[in-house]
Amino acid sequence: MLGVAIWMSAMASVLAAWLVAIGAVIVDLNAGLPWRHVFDTCTTTQCALSHGTPGSWLKVGILTLATLVTGGALVGLGRALLHARRRTHRHAEAAHLVGERDQLLGAVILDVPEKVAYAVAGRPSAIVLSRPAIRALTAQQLRVIIAHERAHLAGRHHLVLAVSSVLADRMPRIPLFTKGRTELRRLVEMCADDTATRGRDVRDLLGALLALAGPAPQPRSALSAAATHVQERAKRLVSRPGSRSVRKTRALLLAGTAALLAGPVITTTALCNLLPLGL
């Protein structure tokens, strides 16, 4: 889970740094801006520009542009997240409509030829299994797969993937966001693996992953146990590190997360001390 936290912290720190930088420009322009004389004669502005000093109109223009760019970016990201949320909820609703609810398993059963097992968030959320997938699993494997999908829903992993996907789609030229989307999808699966195997035999999950692995298409809004980095996760389950190595890794990740989150806070504090805030 700390791996997920450090990736999300890195993305959040970049966004926060951008907002702080834009905010610094706005504050700097706003400081000393004669609001009551913004609509004075153009002669004043032209004289100021001729002396190399930005006049009221130029300040207002830059201030307006910065505000529009920032607001537009935030609105765009918000709309994309809402669209992803609606798509996921429609998928969950459709699964409940076309599938058969199994109260014993706590899942929705689909009559499709492919072996599928995934979780999709909604109101209500759904754990979706196909009949071929159920037939391919033993009772213990089925329980661990359902526990894996429940871990996704309980951990709200769909929100993590939605945010990372929106950032990667909107800003594909930034490697942090594109790489982060891939890494976060892998890490949330590992988190669910750890939760599902707690108190259970790891071999049951390994067998389930092997039984379900295949070319069956998985919905984009779904979290599927056997669709992401199966080979790497299987190796990790077989050769888990010792407790000393885990503690060392956790300490390093906590330190890295704190450093990432501290950066924008320190920058903001420094700017508040340096910029003239009196209007």
Side-chain angles (χ1 to χ4, degrees), residues 62-276:
I62 297 174
L63 183 62
T64 302
L65 180 62
T67 303
L68 289 175
V69 169
T70 305
L74 292 176
V75 169
L77 290 174
R79 290 180 63 182
L81 287 172
L82 287 176
H83 176 72
R85 180 176 179 271
R86 285 195 296 266
R87 183 178 63 242
T88 302
H89 283 207
R90 284 197 300 266
H91 187 148
E93 183 180 357
H96 282 287
L97 287 174
V98 303
E100 178 185 344
R101 177 71 180 177
D102 189 308
Q103 298 293 341
L104 185 61
L105 294 177
V108 175
I109 313 301
L110 296 182
D111 286 310
V112 295
E114 297 85 10
K115 292 184 293 185
V116 294
Y118 59 84
V120 59
R123 293 183 178 178
S125 301
I127 296 174
V128 180
L129 301 169
S130 67
R131 296 196 186 279
I134 295 174
R135 289 194 293 267
L137 301 174
T138 66
Q140 292 82 1
Q141 290 171 350
L142 183 58
R143 281 195 289 269
V144 77
I145 282 293
I146 292 175
H148 178 102
E149 303 304 340
R150 283 177 180 162
H152 279 315
L153 297 175
R156 295 188 170 274
H157 294 163
H158 58 285
L159 295 179
V160 172
L161 298 185
V163 171
S164 62
S165 293
V166 167
L167 291 175
D169 290 340
R170 293 280 171 165
M171 290 168 275
R173 294 182 179 274
I174 300 178
L176 173 67
F177 296 147
T178 53
K179 181 68 174 176
R181 173 171 56 183
T182 302
E183 289 300 309
L184 283 169
R185 183 165 284 275
R186 177 177 67 92
L187 288 170
V188 297
E189 291 297 336
M190 290 181 177
C191 289
D193 288 343
D194 292 342
T195 302
T197 54
R198 199 169 295 151
R200 295 185 176 89
D201 194 337
V202 173
R203 291 173 295 183
D204 290 332
L205 180 57
L206 288 171
L209 293 177
L210 292 174
L212 296 177
Q218 302 292 341
R220 184 182 178 184
S221 56
L223 289 154
S224 175
T228 304
H229 297 90
V230 174
Q231 186 176 0
E232 182 181 354
R233 288 161 52 206
K235 289 180 180 178
R236 175 177 175 271
L237 289 170
V238 170
S239 55
R240 289 187 170 181
S243 58
R244 183 177 179 181
S245 177
V246 170
R247 286 195 297 270
K248 181 180 179 180
T249 302
R250 284 178 178 172
L252 291 173
L253 287 174
L254 284 171
T257 303
L260 286 169
L261 294 176
V265 175
I266 294 172
T267 305
T268 304
T269 304
L271 286 170
C272 287
N273 291 328
L274 291 175
L275 290 176

Side-chain angles (χ1 to χ4, degrees), residues 34 37 40-51 53-57:
H37 306 290
D40 278 355
T41 61
C42 295
T43 306
T44 305
T45 301
Q46 292 298 326
C47 289
L49 288 174
S50 66
H51 288 87
T53 303
S56 300
W57 289 109

